[in-house]
Amino acid sequence: MASNPTYTISDLAREFDLTTRAIRFYEDMGLLQPQREGPGGRNRVYSARDRTRLKLTLRAKRLGLSLTEAKDIIQMYDSPRDTGPQLRKFLDVLAEHKRQLEEQMADLVANLDEVKVHEKEARALLAKLDKTTKADKV
């Protein structure tokens, strides 16, 4: 009979290169639900399910999703077996996030183009100023 693996907060922090404070924050957000053991329930014991939820949370964070969006998606996987609604929700969230990123990228490109124009103008003015300064010295 195989036992279910468990993890301490330090185990997860080390594995995912996080602080224990970050893991406690995810717990406060309802993303993780460790069992409590020891005197006064001071020791957290995380299950394989908690480890998977943490991994999914970090993946969602890398994608730029909010923790609320991550929680909504992760909680769908805890619900019934029909994955159709889960996948549709996930695709909707990804589409919205992609739209926001594309909008930000367009804004950045426009900003960069404007910086290039100002840079070119400043260089031209500086070259003109340098010519005038040299002519005055002659």
Side-chain angles (χ1 to χ4, degrees):
M1 177 186 209
S3 64
N4 292 327
T6 59
Y7 308 89
T8 66
I9 194 168
S10 297
D11 293 337
L12 294 179
R14 196 170 26 258
E15 179 179 353
F16 293 102
D17 194 26
L18 296 169
T19 63
T20 55
R21 184 175 183 205
I23 294 173
R24 286 191 299 273
F25 176 73
Y26 294 143
E27 182 181 333
D28 291 342
M29 293 290 296
L31 290 158
L32 305 173
Q33 299 161 346
Q35 297 297 312
R36 299 294 188 134
E37 292 182 353
R42 291 180 49 117
N43 299 330
R44 291 167 168 86
V45 179
Y46 295 89
S47 66
R49 178 180 173 272
D50 288 315
R51 182 185 170 280
T52 299
R53 289 174 66 94
L54 179 57
K55 189 174 185 178
L56 292 172
T57 298
L58 296 175
R59 182 177 299 155
K61 188 176 167 193
R62 271 194 316 277
L63 288 171
L65 303 180
S66 71
L67 288 180
T68 303
E69 290 169 322
K71 183 178 178 183
D72 289 346
I73 291 168
I74 292 168
Q75 284 180 331
M76 285 190 303
Y77 286 95
D78 289 340
S79 63
R81 290 183 174 90
D82 181 12
T83 58
Q86 297 162 354
L87 290 172
R88 283 183 195 85
K89 170 71 173 175
F90 185 53
L91 285 172
D92 289 346
V93 169
L94 287 177
E96 175 59 20
H97 185 63
K98 180 180 172 185
R99 185 198 63 73
Q100 289 173 355
L101 287 174
E102 287 170 343
E103 189 176 291
Q104 288 173 353
M105 188 158 38
D107 290 345
L108 286 171
V109 167
N111 192 300
L112 185 57
D113 288 345
E114 187 175 343
V115 166
K116 288 176 182 177
V117 166
H118 289 298
E119 183 181 38
K120 185 177 179 180
E121 289 172 355
R123 289 186 191 284
L125 288 171
L126 187 58
K128 187 175 180 181
L129 183 63
D130 287 345
K131 266 187 187 179
T132 305
T133 306
K134 285 180 185 176
D136 288 344
K137 289 183 181 178
V138 177

